[in-house]
Amino acid sequence: MSKWVINENLCKGCGICISRCPLKILAFADHLTAKGVHPAAITDEAKCTSCAICARSCPDVAIEIFKEEK
Amino acid sequence: MKQVFSRPQSLSKKPFHYCPGCDHGVVHRLIAEVIDELEIKDRTIGVAPVGCSVFAYDYFDVDFNQAPHGRAPAVATGIKRVRPESIVFTYQGDGDLAAIGTAEIIHSANRGENITVVFINNAIYGMTGGQMAPTTLIGMKTQTSPYGRDASTAGNPIRMSEMIATLESPVYVTRVTVNNPANLMKTKKALYNAFKLQKEGKGFSFVEVVSICPTNWGKKPADSHKWLTENMLPVFKLGTFKDIHGVEKS
């Protein structure tokens, strides 16, 4: 299961999550969504620490974050 | 896997109509999170303004009303007085609150109505296409100030928080922003304090959120937050102007 889940129907491609990710592991995807935007996508999920800064910064609440339980 | 971040319950499933990057969505979510945390969803009534956030009633899963332009604090006063057990908040922009609604906000604050006002200040009229607002910065170009705002004809930007803090009755007046993750969390704390004070029946609380308008400023969302930090924050200084019950220290 993925740590970083985006609802591409909500993403408007504003790029705020990409600019704020402390590990710089977010980028625009190559494909277009129904809205006609390149949605945000995660490039290296293994590095993700589930800090949720991207999700908290998202103006459209498009991102859900999961964390591995120890 | 444990879910660490999800959509708050008090936010409806409807996608926001706001422009890409607009801070309205973030502030909506923070308010919804605060409503969830204080467990007041069943008795919260919001009042939507006129402006971009006029459709706020679609986005919150709580009872809502929509007031004529600028009159949200007056409508909220009526709701709170006939349903004193409810938690009433207004959500207004700077064109709504600082221009046409100046009388309503000042007198609601002065009466100390037990309501919460969330004021989104992005220094421009958003919905109508980017005209000069009372909060527009000196020299800032808008549709109706194409050479930049000139203080000799259009006056200086109004600082609503400072003005309201001079009144006796309000219990909590603060200015926050969502330009970075740290300030975003401070905004949530301020909204929590404001709603908590109302829940405890303490009186009028006012939270000003300095925000962006990427579309009408003609900037990318990330550049807008930079512009806000460099240009708006020196004029609209962050801080708490009034905190009678000391909620920020407790």
Side-chain angles (χ1 to χ4, degrees):
Chain A
M1 198 179 164
S2 191
K3 285 189 243 179
W4 191 89
V5 181
I6 189 163
N7 181 344
E8 291 191 352
N9 293 323
L10 294 180
C11 179
K12 293 174 185 158
C14 72
I16 287 181
C17 55
I18 296 171
S19 69
R20 291 192 182 168
C21 175
L23 296 168
K24 304 286 173 218
I25 53 171
L26 297 178
F28 288 116
D30 290 332
H31 65 278
L32 290 169
T33 65
K35 277 195 170 76
V37 300
H38 292 283
I42 192 157
T43 55
D44 189 353
E45 196 174 308
K47 278 191 188 165
C48 178
T49 59
S50 305
C51 72
I53 283 176
C54 54
R56 285 181 215 283
S57 301
C58 176
D60 291 284
V61 205
I63 303 170
E64 287 184 305
I65 303 290
F66 298 84
K67 193 169 190 172
E68 280 169 31
E69 283 182 283
K70 284 173 188 164
Chain B
M1 288 280 213
K2 189 178 107 196
Q3 189 153 14
V4 290
F5 182 88
S6 61
R7 200 177 179 87
Q9 284 192 345
S10 300
L11 211 58
S12 77
K13 299 260 185 301
K14 195 176 167 82
F16 298 136
H17 74 283
Y18 303 120
C19 303
C22 178
D23 280 342
H24 271 314
V26 174
V27 182
H28 279 18
R29 196 201 83 235
L30 294 176
I31 293 173
E33 284 180 355
V34 166
I35 291 172
D36 285 356
E37 283 172 24
L38 288 169
E39 296 176 340
I40 51 174
K41 186 178 173 223
D42 294 342
R43 58 191 179 109
T44 297
I45 304 175
V47 184
V50 170
C52 292
S53 48
V54 64
F55 297 125
Y57 50 75
D58 277 340
Y59 304 137
F60 288 96
D61 194 12
V62 301
D63 286 334
F64 241 87
N65 206 320
Q66 198 274 318
H69 207 348
R71 274 61 182 169
V75 172
T77 298
I79 295 170
K80 187 72 182 186
R81 287 190 180 192
V82 294
R83 302 286 303 265
E85 75 286 359
S86 55
I87 304 291
V88 185
F89 76 97
T90 74
Y91 186 97
Q92 302 174 261
D94 50 324
D96 189 78
L97 183 141
I100 194 167
T102 324
E104 279 72 16
I105 185 63
I106 293 289
H107 290 286
S108 303
N110 194 39
R111 292 192 304 268
E113 299 293 344
N114 189 23
I115 58 172
T116 298
V117 174
V118 182
F119 170 40
I120 307 297
N121 176 6
N122 58 10
I124 206 161
Y125 277 81
M127 185 181 76
T128 47
Q131 290 83 4
M132 180 170 62
T135 43
T136 297
L137 307 181
I138 296 297
M140 185 173 165
K141 286 182 183 172
T142 68
Q143 293 287 331
T144 48
S145 60
Y147 303 108
R149 182 176 182 162
D150 179 2
S152 64
T153 53
N156 287 285
I158 292 185
R159 295 185 181 97
M160 290 306 294
S161 289
E162 282 88 334
M163 204 193 308
I164 287 167
T166 62
L167 302 169
E168 292 276 327
S169 305
V171 294
Y172 187 57
V173 181
T174 188
R175 185 185 285 125
V176 287
T177 184
V178 290
N179 65 343
N180 61 41
N183 281 335
L184 198 145
M185 297 315 284
K186 282 183 194 161
T187 301
K188 183 172 174 188
K189 186 71 186 142
L191 289 165
Y192 184 88
N193 291 340
F195 278 85
K196 188 158 174 279
L197 282 166
Q198 182 182 167
K199 194 182 171 192
E200 292 167 357
K202 295 280 169 43
F204 186 88
S205 48
F206 185 87
V207 180
E208 174 174 348
V209 187
V210 184
S211 307
I212 60 169
C213 183
T215 301
N216 289 308
W217 289 2
K219 290 178 172 58
K220 287 181 180 175
D223 296 342
S224 299
H225 280 120
K226 194 164 168 270
W227 192 89
L228 176 149
T229 310
E230 289 167 1
N231 297 281
M232 281 186 78
L233 295 188
V235 178
F236 299 107
K237 291 195 171 59
L238 302 181
T240 298
F241 302 96
K242 205 164 185 197
D243 182 10
I244 288 179
H245 298 286
V247 282
E248 291 201 344
K249 292 191 184 84
S250 61

